[in-house]
Amino acid sequence: MSEFARVLTTLRQIRGLSPFFALDVGRPDEGWHDGAALLDGSALPATVDRIAARYRTAERRVAASLFFLSYTARLLSPVVAARAVGGTAPDVRPANLWWRYDADGLRVRVKEPVGGVGIVESLAPVVEAVRSVAPVAPGLLWGNAASSAAGALRFVALGGAASAEECVALGEELFAEPPLRGCGDFVPFPGEVAFRRRSCCLYYRLDGGGKCGDCALR
């Protein structure tokens, strides 16, 4: 089986686990940004400004954190689920992405169904791009990534695609190296994937916002 076929087979396999595991492939309609627009140009700053306006916050770092939290949730969910079921995870580096932010929130898709690299290598350029837009601590952003990955593992276990014990073991493997190491801890809880991060995504700073289930401030 070719690499294209392995990736597409895996994406079909995990698609039904949760809407966040659905990752489309191929060139979209007009209105989408090339992934490279995350790293330079005005697309990312303008998107952060739109998020700030949407959530009525004057704190740009809060909007930047929310962007990256959504970004990692959309991309790490299929990557982690693919790993959990023993499939081939897609390449989610910016060069292989299309993305847009609209009334439905952030949407992403991959250009080609090819195998990817590690989480850190996939996300590191975007972390730096986000930090160039707003003064967000790197540990907070990597905590967002860890939270998204752990949340995906929880849904994988709930969906029965892998056991909770298998998902926790995979999570500990994924978080074994910096900058993900130290972002949080898996909490022993029979039959479930429970995670507590060591940073906060700043969602609580929005009007009407609260603390997430894995927040360090809870």
Side-chain angles (χ1 to χ4, degrees), residues 59-66 68-69 72 123-124 126-146 179-180 183 197-202:
E59 294 188 79
R60 208 154 188 253
R61 67 189 184 112
V62 175
S65 174
L66 294 179
F68 193 67
L69 187 62
T72 55
L123 295 181
V126 185
V127 168
E128 292 307 310
V130 171
R131 295 190 67 228
S132 73
V133 171
V136 190
L140 184 156
L141 295 177
W142 287 110
N144 286 2
L180 290 172
C183 284
R197 60 183 291 176
R198 297 183 185 177
S199 60
C200 173
C201 70
L202 305 178

PDB file of all heavy atoms in Angstrom, residues 59-66 68-69 72 123-124 126-146 179-180 183 197-202:
ATOM      1  N   GLU A  59      -7.113  42.108  25.108  1.00  0.00           N
ATOM      2  CA  GLU A  59      -5.835  41.436  25.341  1.00  0.00           C
ATOM      3  C   GLU A  59      -5.488  40.581  24.118  1.00  0.00           C
ATOM      4  O   GLU A  59      -6.078  39.516  23.912  1.00  0.00           O
ATOM      5  CB  GLU A  59      -5.889  40.569  26.586  1.00  0.00           C
ATOM      6  CG  GLU A  59      -6.048  41.338  27.871  1.00  0.00           C
ATOM      7  CD  GLU A  59      -5.906  40.434  29.076  1.00  0.00           C
ATOM      8  OE1 GLU A  59      -4.768  40.104  29.452  1.00  0.00           O
ATOM      9  OE2 GLU A  59      -6.953  40.046  29.633  1.00  0.00           O
ATOM     10  N   ARG A  60      -4.537  41.052  23.352  1.00  0.00           N
ATOM     11  CA  ARG A  60      -4.195  40.339  22.123  1.00  0.00           C
ATOM     12  C   ARG A  60      -3.607  38.961  22.419  1.00  0.00           C
ATOM     13  O   ARG A  60      -3.769  38.035  21.633  1.00  0.00           O
ATOM     14  CB  ARG A  60      -3.193  41.174  21.316  1.00  0.00           C
ATOM     15  CG  ARG A  60      -3.282  40.930  19.813  1.00  0.00           C
ATOM     16  CD  ARG A  60      -2.804  42.143  19.042  1.00  0.00           C
ATOM     17  NE  ARG A  60      -3.074  41.966  17.632  1.00  0.00           N
ATOM     18  CZ  ARG A  60      -2.139  41.717  16.716  1.00  0.00           C
ATOM     19  NH1 ARG A  60      -0.878  41.616  17.092  1.00  0.00           N
ATOM     20  NH2 ARG A  60      -2.450  41.581  15.450  1.00  0.00           N
ATOM     21  N   ARG A  61      -2.929  38.829  23.540  1.00  0.00           N
ATOM     22  CA  ARG A  61      -2.346  37.531  23.885  1.00  0.00           C
ATOM     23  C   ARG A  61      -3.434  36.493  24.141  1.00  0.00           C
ATOM     24  O   ARG A  61      -3.245  35.303  23.870  1.00  0.00           O
ATOM     25  CB  ARG A  61      -1.424  37.648  25.097  1.00  0.00           C
ATOM     26  CG  ARG A  61      -2.126  37.977  26.396  1.00  0.00           C
ATOM     27  CD  ARG A  61      -1.150  38.288  27.513  1.00  0.00           C
ATOM     28  NE  ARG A  61      -1.861  38.518  28.765  1.00  0.00           N
ATOM     29  CZ  ARG A  61      -1.805  37.704  29.811  1.00  0.00           C
ATOM     30  NH1 ARG A  61      -1.045  36.617  29.761  1.00  0.00           N
ATOM     31  NH2 ARG A  61      -2.479  37.976  30.914  1.00  0.00           N
ATOM     32  N   VAL A  62      -4.570  36.929  24.651  1.00  0.00           N
ATOM     33  CA  VAL A  62      -5.676  36.003  24.859  1.00  0.00           C
ATOM     34  C   VAL A  62      -6.198  35.506  23.513  1.00  0.00           C
ATOM     35  O   VAL A  62      -6.418  34.307  23.305  1.00  0.00           O
ATOM     36  CB  VAL A  62      -6.808  36.665  25.664  1.00  0.00           C
ATOM     37  CG1 VAL A  62      -8.009  35.726  25.777  1.00  0.00           C
ATOM     38  CG2 VAL A  62      -6.310  37.064  27.050  1.00  0.00           C
ATOM     39  N   ALA A  63      -6.388  36.432  22.566  1.00  0.00           N
ATOM     40  CA  ALA A  63      -6.857  36.049  21.229  1.00  0.00           C
ATOM     41  C   ALA A  63      -5.848  35.139  20.537  1.00  0.00           C
ATOM     42  O   ALA A  63      -6.227  34.172  19.862  1.00  0.00           O
ATOM     43  CB  ALA A  63      -7.107  37.295  20.392  1.00  0.00           C
ATOM     44  N   ALA A  64      -4.554  35.432  20.700  1.00  0.00           N
ATOM     45  CA  ALA A  64      -3.521  34.599  20.085  1.00  0.00           C
ATOM     46  C   ALA A  64      -3.530  33.203  20.674  1.00  0.00           C
ATOM     47  O   ALA A  64      -3.372  32.198  19.956  1.00  0.00           O
ATOM     48  CB  ALA A  64      -2.150  35.244  20.271  1.00  0.00           C
ATOM     49  N   SER A  65      -3.716  33.104  21.987  1.00  0.00           N
ATOM     50  CA  SER A  65      -3.789  31.795  22.622  1.00  0.00           C
ATOM     51  C   SER A  65      -4.994  31.006  22.127  1.00  0.00           C
ATOM     52  O   SER A  65      -4.907  29.808  21.850  1.00  0.00           O
ATOM     53  CB  SER A  65      -3.866  31.957  24.143  1.00  0.00           C
ATOM     54  OG  SER A  65      -4.083  30.707  24.776  1.00  0.00           O
ATOM     55  N   LEU A  66      -6.145  31.677  21.998  1.00  0.00           N
ATOM     56  CA  LEU A  66      -7.345  30.997  21.509  1.00  0.00           C
ATOM     57  C   LEU A  66      -7.164  30.512  20.080  1.00  0.00           C
ATOM     58  O   LEU A  66      -7.645  29.426  19.716  1.00  0.00           O
ATOM     59  CB  LEU A  66      -8.552  31.923  21.611  1.00  0.00           C
ATOM     60  CG  LEU A  66      -8.988  32.318  23.028  1.00  0.00           C
ATOM     61  CD1 LEU A  66     -10.189  33.248  22.964  1.00  0.00           C
ATOM     62  CD2 LEU A  66      -9.301  31.086  23.858  1.00  0.00           C
ATOM     63  N   PHE A  68      -4.302  29.560  18.718  1.00  0.00           N
ATOM     64  CA  PHE A  68      -3.423  28.399  18.721  1.00  0.00           C
ATOM     65  C   PHE A  68      -4.099  27.190  19.366  1.00  0.00           C
ATOM     66  O   PHE A  68      -3.862  26.050  18.962  1.00  0.00           O
ATOM     67  CB  PHE A  68      -2.120  28.721  19.447  1.00  0.00           C
ATOM     68  CG  PHE A  68      -1.042  27.697  19.224  1.00  0.00           C
ATOM     69  CD1 PHE A  68      -0.469  27.532  17.978  1.00  0.00           C
ATOM     70  CD2 PHE A  68      -0.616  26.878  20.259  1.00  0.00           C
ATOM     71  CE1 PHE A  68       0.513  26.581  17.753  1.00  0.00           C
ATOM     72  CE2 PHE A  68       0.373  25.922  20.056  1.00  0.00           C
ATOM     73  CZ  PHE A  68       0.938  25.777  18.801  1.00  0.00           C
ATOM     74  N   LEU A  69      -4.955  27.418  20.349  1.00  0.00           N
ATOM     75  CA  LEU A  69      -5.686  26.309  20.952  1.00  0.00           C
ATOM     76  C   LEU A  69      -6.591  25.647  19.921  1.00  0.00           C
ATOM     77  O   LEU A  69      -6.668  24.412  19.833  1.00  0.00           O
ATOM     78  CB  LEU A  69      -6.500  26.810  22.140  1.00  0.00           C
ATOM     79  CG  LEU A  69      -7.193  25.751  22.991  1.00  0.00           C
ATOM     80  CD1 LEU A  69      -6.177  24.814  23.634  1.00  0.00           C
ATOM     81  CD2 LEU A  69      -8.052  26.406  24.062  1.00  0.00           C
ATOM     82  N   THR A  72      -4.337  23.782  17.272  1.00  0.00           N
ATOM     83  CA  THR A  72      -3.820  22.483  17.717  1.00  0.00           C
ATOM     84  C   THR A  72      -4.941  21.462  17.873  1.00  0.00           C
ATOM     85  O   THR A  72      -4.746  20.277  17.592  1.00  0.00           O
ATOM     86  CB  THR A  72      -3.043  22.622  19.029  1.00  0.00           C
ATOM     87  OG1 THR A  72      -3.866  23.250  20.027  1.00  0.00           O
ATOM     88  CG2 THR A  72      -1.784  23.440  18.833  1.00  0.00           C
ATOM     89  N   LEU A 123       4.705  21.921  14.812  1.00  0.00           N
ATOM     90  CA  LEU A 123       4.118  23.108  15.433  1.00  0.00           C
ATOM     91  C   LEU A 123       5.099  24.228  15.717  1.00  0.00           C
ATOM     92  O   LEU A 123       4.685  25.394  15.845  1.00  0.00           O
ATOM     93  CB  LEU A 123       3.439  22.722  16.752  1.00  0.00           C
ATOM     94  CG  LEU A 123       2.239  21.790  16.682  1.00  0.00           C
ATOM     95  CD1 LEU A 123       1.703  21.546  18.089  1.00  0.00           C
ATOM     96  CD2 LEU A 123       1.144  22.342  15.790  1.00  0.00           C
ATOM     97  N   ALA A 124       6.381  23.925  15.849  1.00  0.00           N
ATOM     98  CA  ALA A 124       7.357  24.932  16.287  1.00  0.00           C
ATOM     99  C   ALA A 124       7.331  26.216  15.454  1.00  0.00           C
ATOM    100  O   ALA A 124       7.351  27.320  16.021  1.00  0.00           O
ATOM    101  CB  ALA A 124       8.761  24.333  16.308  1.00  0.00           C
ATOM    102  N   VAL A 126       4.877  27.590  13.912  1.00  0.00           N
ATOM    103  CA  VAL A 126       3.639  28.320  14.184  1.00  0.00           C
ATOM    104  C   VAL A 126       3.684  28.939  15.578  1.00  0.00           C
ATOM    105  O   VAL A 126       3.175  30.042  15.794  1.00  0.00           O
ATOM    106  CB  VAL A 126       2.418  27.395  14.017  1.00  0.00           C
ATOM    107  CG1 VAL A 126       1.126  28.184  14.181  1.00  0.00           C
ATOM    108  CG2 VAL A 126       2.443  26.714  12.654  1.00  0.00           C
ATOM    109  N   VAL A 127       4.300  28.242  16.527  1.00  0.00           N
ATOM    110  CA  VAL A 127       4.487  28.824  17.858  1.00  0.00           C
ATOM    111  C   VAL A 127       5.259  30.131  17.747  1.00  0.00           C
ATOM    112  O   VAL A 127       4.874  31.156  18.332  1.00  0.00           O
ATOM    113  CB  VAL A 127       5.228  27.836  18.788  1.00  0.00           C
ATOM    114  CG1 VAL A 127       5.687  28.541  20.068  1.00  0.00           C
ATOM    115  CG2 VAL A 127       4.333  26.657  19.140  1.00  0.00           C
ATOM    116  N   GLU A 128       6.333  30.126  16.983  1.00  0.00           N
ATOM    117  CA  GLU A 128       7.132  31.343  16.826  1.00  0.00           C
ATOM    118  C   GLU A 128       6.346  32.430  16.105  1.00  0.00           C
ATOM    119  O   GLU A 128       6.455  33.619  16.436  1.00  0.00           O
ATOM    120  CB  GLU A 128       8.424  31.024  16.076  1.00  0.00           C
ATOM    121  CG  GLU A 128       9.380  30.150  16.862  1.00  0.00           C
ATOM    122  CD  GLU A 128       9.685  30.717  18.236  1.00  0.00           C
ATOM    123  OE1 GLU A 128      10.025  31.918  18.318  1.00  0.00           O
ATOM    124  OE2 GLU A 128       9.570  29.979  19.226  1.00  0.00           O
ATOM    125  N   ALA A 129       5.545  32.045  15.123  1.00  0.00           N
ATOM    126  CA  ALA A 129       4.735  33.037  14.404  1.00  0.00           C
ATOM    127  C   ALA A 129       3.705  33.674  15.321  1.00  0.00           C
ATOM    128  O   ALA A 129       3.496  34.895  15.284  1.00  0.00           O
ATOM    129  CB  ALA A 129       4.051  32.372  13.212  1.00  0.00           C
ATOM    130  N   VAL A 130       3.056  32.869  16.139  1.00  0.00           N
ATOM    131  CA  VAL A 130       2.059  33.404  17.075  1.00  0.00           C
ATOM    132  C   VAL A 130       2.725  34.349  18.069  1.00  0.00           C
ATOM    133  O   VAL A 130       2.200  35.419  18.387  1.00  0.00           O
ATOM    134  CB  VAL A 130       1.336  32.258  17.806  1.00  0.00           C
ATOM    135  CG1 VAL A 130       0.463  32.801  18.939  1.00  0.00           C
ATOM    136  CG2 VAL A 130       0.474  31.461  16.834  1.00  0.00           C
ATOM    137  N   ARG A 131       3.903  33.990  18.549  1.00  0.00           N
ATOM    138  CA  ARG A 131       4.604  34.832  19.522  1.00  0.00           C
ATOM    139  C   ARG A 131       5.103  36.137  18.893  1.00  0.00           C
ATOM    140  O   ARG A 131       5.327  37.120  19.602  1.00  0.00           O
ATOM    141  CB  ARG A 131       5.767  34.061  20.139  1.00  0.00           C
ATOM    142  CG  ARG A 131       5.312  32.865  20.966  1.00  0.00           C
ATOM    143  CD  ARG A 131       6.455  32.258  21.756  1.00  0.00           C
ATOM    144  NE  ARG A 131       6.882  33.199  22.780  1.00  0.00           N
ATOM    145  CZ  ARG A 131       8.143  33.535  23.000  1.00  0.00           C
ATOM    146  NH1 ARG A 131       9.119  33.031  22.240  1.00  0.00           N
ATOM    147  NH2 ARG A 131       8.456  34.386  23.963  1.00  0.00           N
ATOM    148  N   SER A 132       5.254  36.146  17.569  1.00  0.00           N
ATOM    149  CA  SER A 132       5.636  37.398  16.906  1.00  0.00           C
ATOM    150  C   SER A 132       4.454  38.346  16.769  1.00  0.00           C
ATOM    151  O   SER A 132       4.626  39.543  16.553  1.00  0.00           O
ATOM    152  CB  SER A 132       6.220  37.103  15.516  1.00  0.00           C
ATOM    153  OG  SER A 132       5.214  36.707  14.598  1.00  0.00           O
ATOM    154  N   VAL A 133       3.243  37.792  16.905  1.00  0.00           N
ATOM    155  CA  VAL A 133       2.022  38.585  16.784  1.00  0.00           C
ATOM    156  C   VAL A 133       1.581  39.142  18.137  1.00  0.00           C
ATOM    157  O   VAL A 133       1.040  40.239  18.222  1.00  0.00           O
ATOM    158  CB  VAL A 133       0.892  37.730  16.167  1.00  0.00           C
ATOM    159  CG1 VAL A 133      -0.449  38.435  16.226  1.00  0.00           C
ATOM    160  CG2 VAL A 133       1.236  37.362  14.729  1.00  0.00           C
ATOM    161  N   ALA A 134       1.792  38.361  19.202  1.00  0.00           N
ATOM    162  CA  ALA A 134       1.345  38.764  20.538  1.00  0.00           C
ATOM    163  C   ALA A 134       2.310  38.196  21.574  1.00  0.00           C
ATOM    164  O   ALA A 134       2.923  37.151  21.353  1.00  0.00           O
ATOM    165  CB  ALA A 134      -0.077  38.258  20.796  1.00  0.00           C
ATOM    166  N   PRO A 135       2.449  38.868  22.731  1.00  0.00           N
ATOM    167  CA  PRO A 135       3.389  38.420  23.760  1.00  0.00           C
ATOM    168  C   PRO A 135       2.853  37.248  24.575  1.00  0.00           C
ATOM    169  O   PRO A 135       2.454  37.393  25.733  1.00  0.00           O
ATOM    170  CB  PRO A 135       3.560  39.674  24.629  1.00  0.00           C
ATOM    171  CG  PRO A 135       2.250  40.373  24.520  1.00  0.00           C
ATOM    172  CD  PRO A 135       1.779  40.137  23.110  1.00  0.00           C
ATOM    173  N   VAL A 136       2.852  36.080  23.968  1.00  0.00           N
ATOM    174  CA  VAL A 136       2.348  34.879  24.622  1.00  0.00           C
ATOM    175  C   VAL A 136       3.541  34.021  25.042  1.00  0.00           C
ATOM    176  O   VAL A 136       4.447  33.774  24.239  1.00  0.00           O
ATOM    177  CB  VAL A 136       1.431  34.065  23.694  1.00  0.00           C
ATOM    178  CG1 VAL A 136       0.740  32.960  24.477  1.00  0.00           C
ATOM    179  CG2 VAL A 136       0.408  34.956  23.019  1.00  0.00           C
ATOM    180  N   ALA A 137       3.530  33.534  26.264  1.00  0.00           N
ATOM    181  CA  ALA A 137       4.626  32.700  26.755  1.00  0.00           C
ATOM    182  C   ALA A 137       4.676  31.392  25.976  1.00  0.00           C
ATOM    183  O   ALA A 137       3.639  30.785  25.706  1.00  0.00           O
ATOM    184  CB  ALA A 137       4.439  32.410  28.239  1.00  0.00           C
ATOM    185  N   PRO A 138       5.870  30.936  25.595  1.00  0.00           N
ATOM    186  CA  PRO A 138       5.956  29.675  24.853  1.00  0.00           C
ATOM    187  C   PRO A 138       5.391  28.492  25.637  1.00  0.00           C
ATOM    188  O   PRO A 138       4.771  27.595  25.061  1.00  0.00           O
ATOM    189  CB  PRO A 138       7.460  29.515  24.592  1.00  0.00           C
ATOM    190  CG  PRO A 138       8.127  30.427  25.564  1.00  0.00           C
ATOM    191  CD  PRO A 138       7.188  31.557  25.799  1.00  0.00           C
ATOM    192  N   GLY A 139       5.592  28.484  26.971  1.00  0.00           N
ATOM    193  CA  GLY A 139       5.054  27.385  27.767  1.00  0.00           C
ATOM    194  C   GLY A 139       3.546  27.314  27.720  1.00  0.00           C
ATOM    195  O   GLY A 139       2.963  26.223  27.751  1.00  0.00           O
ATOM    196  N   LEU A 140       2.889  28.476  27.623  1.00  0.00           N
ATOM    197  CA  LEU A 140       1.435  28.500  27.502  1.00  0.00           C
ATOM    198  C   LEU A 140       1.000  27.872  26.173  1.00  0.00           C
ATOM    199  O   LEU A 140       0.071  27.062  26.130  1.00  0.00           O
ATOM    200  CB  LEU A 140       0.939  29.939  27.605  1.00  0.00           C
ATOM    201  CG  LEU A 140      -0.574  30.194  27.601  1.00  0.00           C
ATOM    202  CD1 LEU A 140      -0.883  31.514  28.278  1.00  0.00           C
ATOM    203  CD2 LEU A 140      -1.146  30.205  26.176  1.00  0.00           C
ATOM    204  N   LEU A 141       1.677  28.249  25.089  1.00  0.00           N
ATOM    205  CA  LEU A 141       1.302  27.710  23.774  1.00  0.00           C
ATOM    206  C   LEU A 141       1.542  26.208  23.694  1.00  0.00           C
ATOM    207  O   LEU A 141       0.698  25.463  23.176  1.00  0.00           O
ATOM    208  CB  LEU A 141       2.070  28.445  22.683  1.00  0.00           C
ATOM    209  CG  LEU A 141       1.735  29.934  22.533  1.00  0.00           C
ATOM    210  CD1 LEU A 141       2.619  30.577  21.473  1.00  0.00           C
ATOM    211  CD2 LEU A 141       0.257  30.133  22.176  1.00  0.00           C
ATOM    212  N   TRP A 142       2.673  25.755  24.207  1.00  0.00           N
ATOM    213  CA  TRP A 142       2.917  24.310  24.194  1.00  0.00           C
ATOM    214  C   TRP A 142       1.961  23.590  25.138  1.00  0.00           C
ATOM    215  O   TRP A 142       1.585  22.438  24.910  1.00  0.00           O
ATOM    216  CB  TRP A 142       4.373  24.008  24.524  1.00  0.00           C
ATOM    217  CG  TRP A 142       5.291  24.355  23.395  1.00  0.00           C
ATOM    218  CD1 TRP A 142       6.202  25.371  23.341  1.00  0.00           C
ATOM    219  CD2 TRP A 142       5.369  23.689  22.123  1.00  0.00           C
ATOM    220  NE1 TRP A 142       6.840  25.386  22.128  1.00  0.00           N
ATOM    221  CE2 TRP A 142       6.352  24.367  21.354  1.00  0.00           C
ATOM    222  CE3 TRP A 142       4.712  22.598  21.558  1.00  0.00           C
ATOM    223  CZ2 TRP A 142       6.690  23.982  20.063  1.00  0.00           C
ATOM    224  CZ3 TRP A 142       5.043  22.211  20.256  1.00  0.00           C
ATOM    225  CH2 TRP A 142       6.021  22.892  19.534  1.00  0.00           C
ATOM    226  N   GLY A 143       1.533  24.286  26.197  1.00  0.00           N
ATOM    227  CA  GLY A 143       0.490  23.719  27.044  1.00  0.00           C
ATOM    228  C   GLY A 143      -0.816  23.559  26.301  1.00  0.00           C
ATOM    229  O   GLY A 143      -1.549  22.582  26.493  1.00  0.00           O
ATOM    230  N   ASN A 144      -1.136  24.516  25.426  1.00  0.00           N
ATOM    231  CA  ASN A 144      -2.319  24.381  24.573  1.00  0.00           C
ATOM    232  C   ASN A 144      -2.215  23.143  23.692  1.00  0.00           C
ATOM    233  O   ASN A 144      -3.186  22.408  23.500  1.00  0.00           O
ATOM    234  CB  ASN A 144      -2.474  25.624  23.692  1.00  0.00           C
ATOM    235  CG  ASN A 144      -2.958  26.841  24.455  1.00  0.00           C
ATOM    236  OD1 ASN A 144      -3.147  26.795  25.672  1.00  0.00           O
ATOM    237  ND2 ASN A 144      -3.130  27.948  23.760  1.00  0.00           N
ATOM    238  N   ALA A 145      -1.026  22.932  23.131  1.00  0.00           N
ATOM    239  CA  ALA A 145      -0.820  21.761  22.277  1.00  0.00           C
ATOM    240  C   ALA A 145      -0.995  20.474  23.071  1.00  0.00           C
ATOM    241  O   ALA A 145      -1.647  19.521  22.616  1.00  0.00           O
ATOM    242  CB  ALA A 145       0.565  21.812  21.637  1.00  0.00           C
ATOM    243  N   ALA A 146      -0.417  20.436  24.277  1.00  0.00           N
ATOM    244  CA  ALA A 146      -0.546  19.242  25.110  1.00  0.00           C
ATOM    245  C   ALA A 146      -2.000  18.998  25.485  1.00  0.00           C
ATOM    246  O   ALA A 146      -2.484  17.857  25.473  1.00  0.00           O
ATOM    247  CB  ALA A 146       0.317  19.393  26.371  1.00  0.00           C
ATOM    248  N   PRO A 179       9.628  20.607  23.876  1.00  0.00           N
ATOM    249  CA  PRO A 179       8.997  21.473  24.866  1.00  0.00           C
ATOM    250  C   PRO A 179       7.682  20.944  25.438  1.00  0.00           C
ATOM    251  O   PRO A 179       7.056  21.622  26.254  1.00  0.00           O
ATOM    252  CB  PRO A 179       8.768  22.759  24.084  1.00  0.00           C
ATOM    253  CG  PRO A 179       8.520  22.287  22.691  1.00  0.00           C
ATOM    254  CD  PRO A 179       9.420  21.113  22.488  1.00  0.00           C
ATOM    255  N   LEU A 180       7.240  19.743  25.034  1.00  0.00           N
ATOM    256  CA  LEU A 180       5.998  19.197  25.573  1.00  0.00           C
ATOM    257  C   LEU A 180       6.198  18.588  26.953  1.00  0.00           C
ATOM    258  O   LEU A 180       5.254  18.522  27.735  1.00  0.00           O
ATOM    259  CB  LEU A 180       5.420  18.154  24.612  1.00  0.00           C
ATOM    260  CG  LEU A 180       4.859  18.706  23.299  1.00  0.00           C
ATOM    261  CD1 LEU A 180       4.508  17.576  22.350  1.00  0.00           C
ATOM    262  CD2 LEU A 180       3.637  19.582  23.565  1.00  0.00           C
ATOM    263  N   CYS A 183       4.557  19.966  30.382  1.00  0.00           N
ATOM    264  CA  CYS A 183       3.366  20.784  30.118  1.00  0.00           C
ATOM    265  C   CYS A 183       2.159  20.325  30.928  1.00  0.00           C
ATOM    266  O   CYS A 183       1.180  21.059  31.054  1.00  0.00           O
ATOM    267  CB  CYS A 183       3.019  20.751  28.634  1.00  0.00           C
ATOM    268  SG  CYS A 183       4.107  21.773  27.615  1.00  0.00           S
ATOM    269  N   ARG A 197      -3.042  20.151  32.962  1.00  0.00           N
ATOM    270  CA  ARG A 197      -1.934  20.930  32.425  1.00  0.00           C
ATOM    271  C   ARG A 197      -1.343  21.830  33.503  1.00  0.00           C
ATOM    272  O   ARG A 197      -1.970  22.059  34.550  1.00  0.00           O
ATOM    273  CB  ARG A 197      -2.374  21.740  31.209  1.00  0.00           C
ATOM    274  CG  ARG A 197      -3.488  22.736  31.473  1.00  0.00           C
ATOM    275  CD  ARG A 197      -3.929  23.446  30.211  1.00  0.00           C
ATOM    276  NE  ARG A 197      -2.904  24.357  29.714  1.00  0.00           N
ATOM    277  CZ  ARG A 197      -3.014  25.043  28.584  1.00  0.00           C
ATOM    278  NH1 ARG A 197      -4.077  24.895  27.820  1.00  0.00           N
ATOM    279  NH2 ARG A 197      -2.059  25.857  28.210  1.00  0.00           N
ATOM    280  N   ARG A 198      -0.158  22.362  33.229  1.00  0.00           N
ATOM    281  CA  ARG A 198       0.524  23.205  34.214  1.00  0.00           C
ATOM    282  C   ARG A 198       0.491  24.687  33.839  1.00  0.00           C
ATOM    283  O   ARG A 198       1.173  25.495  34.452  1.00  0.00           O
ATOM    284  CB  ARG A 198       1.976  22.739  34.370  1.00  0.00           C
ATOM    285  CG  ARG A 198       2.097  21.316  34.911  1.00  0.00           C
ATOM    286  CD  ARG A 198       3.544  20.924  35.106  1.00  0.00           C
ATOM    287  NE  ARG A 198       3.653  19.530  35.510  1.00  0.00           N
ATOM    288  CZ  ARG A 198       4.802  18.896  35.706  1.00  0.00           C
ATOM    289  NH1 ARG A 198       5.955  19.552  35.544  1.00  0.00           N
ATOM    290  NH2 ARG A 198       4.818  17.623  36.059  1.00  0.00           N
ATOM    291  N   SER A 199      -0.287  25.018  32.848  1.00  0.00           N
ATOM    292  CA  SER A 199      -0.443  26.409  32.442  1.00  0.00           C
ATOM    293  C   SER A 199      -1.920  26.642  32.160  1.00  0.00           C
ATOM    294  O   SER A 199      -2.740  25.736  32.279  1.00  0.00           O
ATOM    295  CB  SER A 199       0.406  26.716  31.196  1.00  0.00           C
ATOM    296  OG  SER A 199       0.004  25.887  30.112  1.00  0.00           O
ATOM    297  N   CYS A 200      -2.250  27.877  31.782  1.00  0.00           N
ATOM    298  CA  CYS A 200      -3.642  28.231  31.507  1.00  0.00           C
ATOM    299  C   CYS A 200      -3.725  28.874  30.132  1.00  0.00           C
ATOM    300  O   CYS A 200      -2.878  29.685  29.755  1.00  0.00           O
ATOM    301  CB  CYS A 200      -4.150  29.195  32.579  1.00  0.00           C
ATOM    302  SG  CYS A 200      -5.791  29.865  32.246  1.00  0.00           S
ATOM    303  N   CYS A 201      -4.771  28.540  29.392  1.00  0.00           N
ATOM    304  CA  CYS A 201      -4.929  29.068  28.032  1.00  0.00           C
ATOM    305  C   CYS A 201      -5.465  30.503  28.017  1.00  0.00           C
ATOM    306  O   CYS A 201      -5.585  31.110  26.947  1.00  0.00           O
ATOM    307  CB  CYS A 201      -5.841  28.169  27.217  1.00  0.00           C
ATOM    308  SG  CYS A 201      -7.580  28.211  27.736  1.00  0.00           S
ATOM    309  N   LEU A 202      -5.825  31.030  29.186  1.00  0.00           N
ATOM    310  CA  LEU A 202      -6.323  32.404  29.354  1.00  0.00           C
ATOM    311  C   LEU A 202      -7.791  32.582  28.974  1.00  0.00           C
ATOM    312  O   LEU A 202      -8.292  33.709  28.969  1.00  0.00           O
ATOM    313  CB  LEU A 202      -5.474  33.423  28.573  1.00  0.00           C
ATOM    314  CG  LEU A 202      -3.975  33.405  28.872  1.00  0.00           C
ATOM    315  CD1 LEU A 202      -3.259  34.428  27.981  1.00  0.00           C
ATOM    316  CD2 LEU A 202      -3.707  33.697  30.345  1.00  0.00           C
TER     317      LEU A 202
END
